[in-house]
Amino acid sequence: MELIIFALITEDLKFTLHQTDSQSKARAGSMVTDHGTVQTPIFMPVGTVASVKGVHQRELKEEIDPDIILGNTYHLFLRPKTDILKKAGGLHKFMGWDRNILTDSGGYQVYSLSANRKIKEEGVKFKSHIDGSLHLFTPENVMEIQRVIGADIIMAFDECTPYPCEYNYAKRSMHMTHRWLERCITHLKKTPFEYDYEQTFFPIVQGSTYKDLRKQSAEYIAGVGAEGNAIGGLSVGEPAEEMYAMTDVVCEILPEDKPRYLMGVGTPINILENIALGVDMFDCVMPTRNARNGMLFTAHGTINIKNKKWEDDFSAIDDMGITFVDTEYSKAYLRHLFVAKEYLGKQIATIHNLGFYLWLVREARKHILAGDFTTWKNMMVKQMDKRL
C-alpha cells in the first residue's frame, strides 16, 4: 500500500529534544503549542468528561500543575455533545482550562464496548452506555468531532485489539487502522480548524504483542511524517515484559525528533521503565481511580489507606516529605475520612496521586538532564515495588 504524503499538519507543535540519557533511551524535551509549553517526559491527568474526576480546576493548576490534560472523544461526543461544546467555543472554554488538552479518538472506548459494537471497514457502530442509542464512528466524523472539541493534540481513529489476540486478527486490524489513518488525513485536509488556534494530529501504532506487526506498523506510521506519534494497544492486560518489549521495538523506529506517546500506561514503575525506552508522554486513569478506592502511590511503595494499621499513624502521607495538597494531612486523618465515607478523603487522595505522578515524571526529567537517570530509576523502581 502506497503511503500518502502527509502535508496537512502545520508547524504548530514544535518539539525540541534537550537531552538523551547516556545509559538508556530516556529523553528530556519540550513541546510548544498555542496553549503553552509542555516539558517532557510528561504524565497527562485524564479529564474524561471535561473534568479530572474529583479535582477542581483551581486545585489542578495550583497543586498538581500539569502542562497538559486529556479529554475523551467518545464520552464528550455523548455528553455534553458536540453542539454544546461548539456553542461554548470548544473544550478549553467550556471547562475553564487555558493550558494544553489532548483528546484520544474513542478507539479504546470502542474496544471496551465489545458487547455493544460492530467493527467494519466503514467504521464502528456502537450503543451508547448512557441510553443505548445507536451511533457510528468513522475516521471522518471522529476528525470532525475532535475539530469541534478543539484539543491541541488530536488522535487518529484506530482499532485497539484485545489481549490475547490471534495473529491474523491483529494483522487485519493493523492494516485497517492504517487505512483508517489515510481516511483521517484526507478528511482533515478538508476540515479547517474550528477556533483561533491550531491542532496537531498524532497517528497510532498498533500490532498487538507481535514484534513483526509492531515493526511494520511503526515503519508505516514513521513514514507518514506526523508532528508526533502514539503507541496504542499496550495497556490491555498484557504482561509488563511484553509491553516493554513492544515499546522498545517501536521506539527504535519512530523518529527521534518527534514526541512519542504511550497510550493508557500505567503504574509508576511502568512509566519509569517506558521513559527509559524512549517514551515522552503518558496518560492513565490509575492514579485517580485507585485514589477513590484508597490506594495511594508514594516514593516508597503503595498504601491502602483504609487498612487499620494507619489508624494512629500521624505521619505525612509520603514519608519523603513530598506533599501535593495545601495541607500536609496525616495518614490517620485520611484513613478516618475514608472510613467515615467523607468525599474529602477521595479528593485528597486524588490530588496526592496525581501530584505524585507529576512529581515522578518531573524528577525523571531532572535526572535525565543531570545525567544520572538510570541509577535514579533503578533505585525508584525498587522502592516503589512494595506494599506498605
Side-chain angles (χ1 to χ4, degrees):
M1 183 183 297
E2 183 180 353
L3 282 176
I4 53 179
I5 302 300
F6 196 91
L8 72 102
I9 299 305
T10 69
E11 293 299 316
D12 177 55
L13 185 145
K14 295 178 175 63
F15 179 69
T16 303
L17 188 60
H18 301 296
Q19 183 76 33
T20 300
D21 180 56
S22 61
Q23 294 181 287
S24 72
K25 301 169 189 173
R27 301 131 54 90
S30 59
M31 301 186 301
V32 181
T33 78
D34 287 340
H35 279 100
T37 300
V38 178
Q39 303 286 352
T40 63
I42 187 64
F43 177 81
M44 299 178 285
V46 176
T48 304
V49 292
S51 167
V52 176
K53 196 177 290 291
V55 181
H56 193 284
Q57 271 78 314
R58 182 185 64 252
E59 297 161 331
L60 192 61
K61 282 186 178 181
E62 296 178 2
E63 299 177 26
I64 300 165
D65 194 27
D67 299 326
I68 182 171
I69 63 173
L70 181 143
N72 182 266
T73 294
Y74 166 85
H75 288 283
L76 293 168
F77 166 75
L78 292 177
R79 187 169 53 193
K81 300 183 180 180
T82 50
D83 59 335
I84 299 298
L85 290 170
K86 187 169 184 176
K87 288 177 182 177
L91 183 58
H92 290 86
K93 291 183 178 179
F94 183 65
M95 67 179 292
W97 181 255
D98 59 2
R99 302 182 186 181
N100 286 285
I101 299 175
L102 178 148
T103 43
D104 65 15
S105 69
Y108 180 82
Q109 281 64 40
V110 164
Y111 148 81
S112 67
L113 290 169
S114 57
N116 293 301
R117 49 88 169 143
K118 291 184 179 179
I119 301 172
K120 296 184 178 181
E121 187 69 32
E122 179 189 13
V124 181
K125 292 181 180 179
F126 63 91
K127 287 184 179 180
S128 165
H129 72 285
I130 298 170
D131 60 10
S133 56
L134 291 172
H135 302 276
L136 174 68
F137 269 0
T138 67
E140 291 80 10
N141 69 13
V142 166
M143 294 303 97
E144 293 173 4
I145 293 164
Q146 289 188 88
R147 281 287 199 238
V148 173
I149 293 171
D152 301 274
I153 300 173
I154 63 177
M155 307 302 296
F157 188 52
D158 65 324
E159 183 190 358
C160 179
T161 52
Y163 179 88
C165 176
E166 291 184 358
Y167 180 87
N168 286 336
Y169 183 91
K171 184 177 181 179
R172 289 195 302 272
S173 174
M174 178 196 73
H175 284 301
M176 186 169 67
T177 287
H178 294 170
R179 292 192 296 273
W180 283 0
L181 171 59
E182 293 192 8
R183 288 167 57 189
C184 288
I185 294 170
T186 299
H187 199 71
L188 275 180
K189 289 179 179 179
K190 306 173 185 175
T191 312
F193 299 119
E194 190 73 36
Y195 308 110
D196 60 352
Y197 55 88
E198 298 180 354
Q199 294 176 296
T200 299
F201 174 80
F202 282 23
I204 302 172
V205 176
Q206 287 291 349
S208 187
T209 53
Y210 298 102
K211 183 176 179 179
D212 63 320
L213 297 183
R214 283 287 173 179
K215 184 174 184 292
Q216 184 178 346
S217 187
E219 288 171 348
Y220 185 93
I221 297 304
V224 166
E227 292 301 305
N229 299 293
I231 307 166
L234 286 180
S235 186
V236 292
E238 75 284 352
E241 292 73 21
E242 292 197 38
M243 175 202 301
Y244 302 148
M246 295 302 102
T247 300
D248 194 25
V249 167
V250 171
C251 286
E252 280 291 307
I253 297 168
L254 293 180
E256 292 185 2
D257 62 342
K258 304 293 175 64
R260 303 165 182 156
Y261 165 32
L262 181 57
M263 305 178 75
V265 175
T267 68
I269 291 173
N270 291 157
I271 288 174
L272 289 189
E273 295 291 5
N274 282 296
I275 287 174
L277 295 172
V279 175
D280 307 295
M281 302 167 65
F282 303 87
D283 79 283
C284 189
V285 298
M286 187 172 287
T288 49
R289 181 176 291 167
N290 282 26
R292 295 193 300 275
N293 292 316
M295 298 297 293
L296 307 180
F297 297 103
T298 80
H300 282 222
T302 306
I303 293 172
N304 183 347
I305 201 65
K306 294 184 284 188
N307 285 349
K308 188 173 177 60
K309 67 184 291 185
W310 310 116
E311 184 177 31
D312 59 354
D313 187 326
F314 302 105
S315 64
I317 294 169
D318 193 309
D319 60 8
M320 284 186 68
I322 307 163
T323 183
F324 311 105
V325 289
D326 55 7
T327 301
E328 193 171 290
Y329 299 106
S330 70
K331 296 182 182 76
Y333 179 63
L334 188 53
R335 179 185 183 275
H336 157 72
L337 293 176
F338 270 91
V339 171
K341 301 188 186 314
E342 284 286 343
Y343 291 121
L344 179 60
K346 294 182 179 183
Q347 186 178 23
I348 292 171
T350 299
I351 294 171
H352 168 83
N353 276 357
L354 287 174
F356 178 75
Y357 268 60
L358 268 297
W359 174 85
L360 189 68
V361 293
R362 286 167 178 156
E363 284 295 300
R365 177 184 172 84
K366 289 178 186 177
H367 287 279
I368 294 166
L369 293 172
D372 63 350
F373 168 79
T374 298
T375 300
W376 172 81
K377 186 267 289 184
N378 291 339
M379 179 269 293
M380 287 297 297
V381 166
K382 186 176 180 180
Q383 282 186 183
M384 292 188 300
D385 192 22
K386 298 175 184 175
R387 285 292 182 98
L388 301 178

